[in-house]
């Protein structure tokens, strides 16, 4: 009802807006205040990370949403809270502080009451403004440029400003403490679980065979690892406070968790240099692990045709899928070679797997050349596994030597359309990599679905 009033105001002539706004502000500020309380609690709840906490969260329990899938919901709820509190604050200023409720939530007359004097109302409004200011600053620091380029500037002020938002909100109106407890108590429990899980360090074995890609192998954290999951990694020698997510490249059937780190930013470059220095000095590389989290939204091997589109290091989650489908796990023998134990091979229902991988140089193809070669050989030699169609595109100029690599960027739209139209069966489409590649794959998937084709689309991006 109150939302309809606001919409009507937007259609009024400009000179009538102040009068219409003043008419609805008396009721609107109360309604928006309640919405702020409820949405702020839900916003904190949607930031829970651990699956044990998520089980107690009804949305995650019923729908299977994990932490990474709840992050967009967390952002939207945060923006709704900011909008509601802005309307609430503006309505208070326009109404001139008449009527409403005192800080304990009790109704007060337009002239005020003994418990809600002008001084009390002024104090309440001041702390209400500080609560809004903390939330507005939090929103600014959460903007994509700051969040992605200066992660530490985003993360720690995010926590402090969130606590200040609730503290000033409680001083503004004591009933807020109820909603703060409902939201913050599970969050505190979640952080306690995180500390308990991450207090012990694990030794990591490093593969330095590639100059621009670092591979780490870590003793398996969980026996229930699934395809498409990731872990949060902390290396104390780099920083005891920084935790960064990395996709798992290992098979769920393996004995180790493996990740691949490309030095793209300041943190990953420092990780690479620290690990290489530790190896040169014969020092152990100790890491802390939190996870694994997430999973692919669909069973990628349950569709007759699987299409995987990856850009650069975005192939890491696809490598995990290929390891599972073709039974490629790490041999626990000292040689560390890769074998094909048939007992660990998945039983996929897919008949064809298409992998379109775009890299910037021929050297990057060597990152996972052994895994891709084994998967190709097994898809031809073994029975009951899908046939692998591999297409590797090199965007920069290639050498003149004969090669099976393709020059130039892939025409993702045309290629996926040709594959789907040639098979005429349900297909799953998975993409991971730069935003431009992900969006192109997303667009063609939506187009094919609009044409009546059965497509199940899933995406992963480097951005968060």
């Amino acid at each position: 009802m109150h939302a309809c009033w606001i919409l009507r105001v937007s259609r009024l002539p400009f000179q009538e807006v102040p009068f219409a706004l003043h008419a609805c502000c008396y009721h609107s500020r109360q309604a928006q205040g309640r919405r702020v309380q409820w949405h702020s609690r839900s916003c904190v709840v949607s930031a829970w990370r651990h699956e044990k906490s998520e089980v107690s969260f009804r949305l995650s329990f019923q729908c299977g949403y994990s932490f990474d899938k709840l992050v967009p919901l967390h952002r939207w709820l945060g923006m709704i809270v900011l909008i509601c509190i802005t309307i609430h604050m503006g309505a208070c200023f326009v109404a001139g502080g008449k009527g409403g409720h005192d800080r304990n939530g009790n109704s007060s007359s337009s002239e005020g009451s003994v418990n809600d004097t002008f001084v009390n109302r002024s104090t309440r409004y001041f702390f209400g403004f500080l609560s809004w200011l903390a939330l507005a600053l939090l929103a600014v620091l959460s903007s994509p440029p700051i969040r992605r380029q200066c992660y530490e500037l985003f993360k720690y002020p995010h926590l402090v400003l969130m606590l200040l938002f609730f503290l000033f909100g409680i001083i503004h109106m004591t009933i807020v403490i109820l909603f703060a407890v409902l939201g913050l108590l599970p969050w505190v429990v979640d952080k306690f679980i995180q500390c308990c899980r991450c207090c012990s360090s694990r030794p990591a074995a490093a593969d330095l065979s590639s100059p621009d890609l670092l591979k780490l192998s870590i003793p398996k954290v969980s026996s229930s690892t699934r395809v498409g999951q990731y872990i949060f990694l902390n290396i104390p020698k780099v920083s005891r406070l920084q935790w960064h997510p990395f996709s798992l490249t290992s098979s769920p059937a393996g004995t180790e968790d493996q990740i691949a780190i490309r030095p793209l930013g300041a943190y990953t470059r420092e990780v690479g240099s620290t690990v290489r220095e530790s190896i040169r000095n014969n020092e152990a590389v100790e890491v802390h692990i939190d996870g694994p989290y997430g999973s692919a939204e669909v069973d990628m091997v349950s569709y007759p045709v699987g299409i995987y589109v990856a850009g650069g290091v975005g192939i890491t989650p696809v490598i995990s899928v290929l390891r599972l489908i073709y039974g490629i796990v790490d041999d626990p023998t000292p040689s560390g070679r890769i074998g094909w134990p048939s007992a660990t091979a998945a039983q996929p229902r897919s008949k064809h797997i298409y992998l379109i991988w775009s890299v910037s140089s021929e050297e990057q193809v060597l990152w996972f050349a052994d895994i891709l070669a084994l998967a190709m050989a097994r898809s031809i030699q073994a029975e009951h596994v899908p046939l692998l169609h591999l297409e590797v595109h090199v965007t920069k100029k290639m050498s003149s030597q004969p090669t099976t690599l393709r020059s130039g960027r892939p025409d993702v739209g045309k290629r996926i359309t040709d594959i789907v139209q040639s098979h005429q069966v349900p297909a799953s489409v998975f993409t991971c990599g730069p935003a431009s590649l992900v969006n192109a794959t997303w667009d063609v998937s939506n187009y094919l679905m609009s044409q009546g084709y059965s497509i199940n689309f899933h995406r992963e991006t480097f951005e968060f």
Side-chain angles (χ1 to χ4, degrees):
M1 181 177 180
H2 301 296
C4 294
W5 291 352
I6 300 300
L7 291 175
R8 290 171 188 162
V9 168
S10 64
R11 299 191 182 101
L12 292 173
F14 177 79
Q15 62 271 20
E16 297 181 13
V17 169
F19 302 99
L21 182 61
H22 191 281
C24 70
C25 276
Y26 176 78
H27 300 284
S28 177
R29 64 173 179 170
Q30 299 176 32
Q32 298 303 330
R34 295 296 182 186
R35 292 189 180 108
V36 167
Q37 295 164 8
W38 278 107
H39 289 314
S40 59
R41 178 206 60 148
S42 302
C43 186
V44 176
V45 168
S46 64
W48 296 352
R49 177 182 295 180
H50 297 279
E51 294 183 357
K52 291 183 179 180
S53 299
E54 293 173 50
V55 169
S56 62
F57 182 29
R58 185 174 299 275
L59 178 64
S60 185
F61 178 75
Q62 293 180 345
C63 303
Y65 292 141
S66 56
F67 165 74
D68 55 318
K69 305 302 185 299
L70 290 175
V71 168
L73 175 63
H74 175 72
R75 294 187 194 134
W76 279 105
L77 287 175
M79 292 305 300
I80 291 174
V81 172
L82 180 59
I83 293 172
C84 288
I85 197 174
T86 301
I87 297 174
H88 170 71
M89 185 180 65
C92 288
F93 280 116
V94 173
K98 296 180 180 180
H101 296 75
D102 60 23
R103 69 184 309 271
N104 296 314
N106 302 315
S107 297
S108 59
S109 64
S110 59
E111 291 79 14
S113 64
V114 176
N115 295 326
D116 191 34
T117 63
F118 173 78
V119 175
N120 288 338
R121 289 199 301 272
S122 299
T123 303
R124 284 172 46 212
Y125 293 161
F126 174 71
F127 282 103
F129 171 76
L130 290 182
S131 180
W132 172 86
L133 188 63
L135 186 62
L137 183 57
L138 186 151
V140 171
L141 295 179
S142 300
S143 60
I146 296 178
R147 188 175 71 241
R148 294 168 185 162
Q149 301 299 325
C150 306
Y151 181 76
E152 302 306 316
L153 182 60
F154 150 76
K155 180 179 179 180
Y156 297 107
H158 196 88
L159 301 178
V160 173
L161 291 171
M162 179 266 293
L163 295 175
L164 289 177
F165 165 72
F166 278 112
L167 175 62
F168 293 143
I170 291 171
I171 299 176
H172 171 67
M173 184 170 286
T174 53
I175 195 174
V176 175
I177 193 171
L178 172 63
F179 302 92
V181 170
L182 290 176
L184 289 176
L185 183 59
W187 178 79
V188 172
V189 173
D190 178 77
K191 290 301 177 183
F192 176 76
I193 295 174
Q194 179 184 353
C195 293
C196 293
R197 292 180 60 175
C198 308
C199 59
S200 61
S201 61
R202 297 172 179 268
D207 180 356
L208 307 177
S209 57
S210 176
D212 57 347
L213 189 73
L214 171 65
K215 299 178 184 178
L216 293 180
S217 299
I218 308 155
K220 207 170 189 64
V221 177
S222 172
S223 59
S224 59
T225 306
R226 301 187 299 272
V227 167
Q229 291 193 307
Y230 59 91
I231 59 174
F232 283 88
L233 177 72
N234 169 261
I235 302 181
K237 286 187 177 180
V238 177
S239 172
R240 293 188 176 274
L241 298 179
Q242 296 191 51
W243 293 80
H244 290 259
F246 295 96
S247 298
L248 292 174
T249 62
S250 51
S251 168
T255 59
E256 293 181 325
D257 287 331
Q258 297 179 346
I259 59 174
I261 303 173
R262 189 183 177 196
L264 294 173
Y267 175 78
T268 50
R269 284 195 294 268
E270 188 173 358
V271 167
S273 60
T274 301
V275 171
R276 293 177 189 277
E277 183 180 355
S278 298
I279 297 299
R280 285 196 300 267
N281 298 333
N282 294 322
E283 298 176 353
V285 180
E286 298 290 333
V287 300
H288 296 278
I289 299 298
D290 183 21
Y293 298 109
S295 64
E297 292 178 346
V298 297
D299 185 359
M300 304 301 295
V301 298
S302 64
Y303 289 81
V305 174
I307 305 173
Y308 299 85
V309 182
V313 77
I315 197 175
T316 50
V318 182
I319 293 297
S320 178
V321 176
L322 295 180
R323 283 178 178 268
L324 176 66
I325 292 176
Y326 298 106
I328 304 173
V329 297
D330 296 316
D331 190 340
T333 60
S335 63
R337 306 184 72 174
I338 298 175
W340 298 340
S342 58
T344 62
Q347 299 298 324
R349 292 185 289 273
S350 298
K351 301 301 181 184
H352 295 272
I353 297 293
Y354 290 85
L355 173 56
I356 304 172
W357 185 23
S358 176
V359 294
S360 59
S361 65
E362 295 177 83
E363 290 74 18
Q364 294 181 1
V365 181
L366 301 176
W367 290 346
F368 300 102
D370 53 348
I371 303 295
L372 297 177
L374 287 169
M376 282 291 294
R378 185 162 178 80
S379 74
I380 298 172
Q381 299 171 2
E383 298 180 356
H384 310 299
V385 294
L387 182 62
L388 177 61
H389 307 264
L390 178 61
E391 303 175 12
V392 181
H393 296 256
V394 180
T395 58
K396 292 183 179 179
K397 186 177 180 180
M398 297 194 305
S399 62
S400 57
Q401 298 178 358
T403 178
T404 57
L405 305 179
R406 306 187 183 192
S407 179
R409 299 182 184 278
D411 189 344
V412 173
K414 183 178 184 302
R415 192 68 189 100
I416 294 180
T417 301
D418 291 343
I419 295 171
V420 173
Q421 291 179 346
S422 64
H423 289 282
Q424 296 289 325
V425 294
S428 65
V429 178
F430 177 92
T431 179
C432 180
S436 57
L437 181 69
V438 171
N439 291 336
T441 308
W442 197 350
D443 290 340
V444 69
S445 298
N446 286 334
Y447 169 76
L448 291 172
M449 283 187 281
S450 69
Q451 299 300 307
Y453 292 98
S454 178
I455 304 292
N456 205 318
F457 176 79
H458 176 70
R459 66 187 175 96
E460 297 287 346
T461 63
F462 299 147
E463 301 169 350
F464 57 95

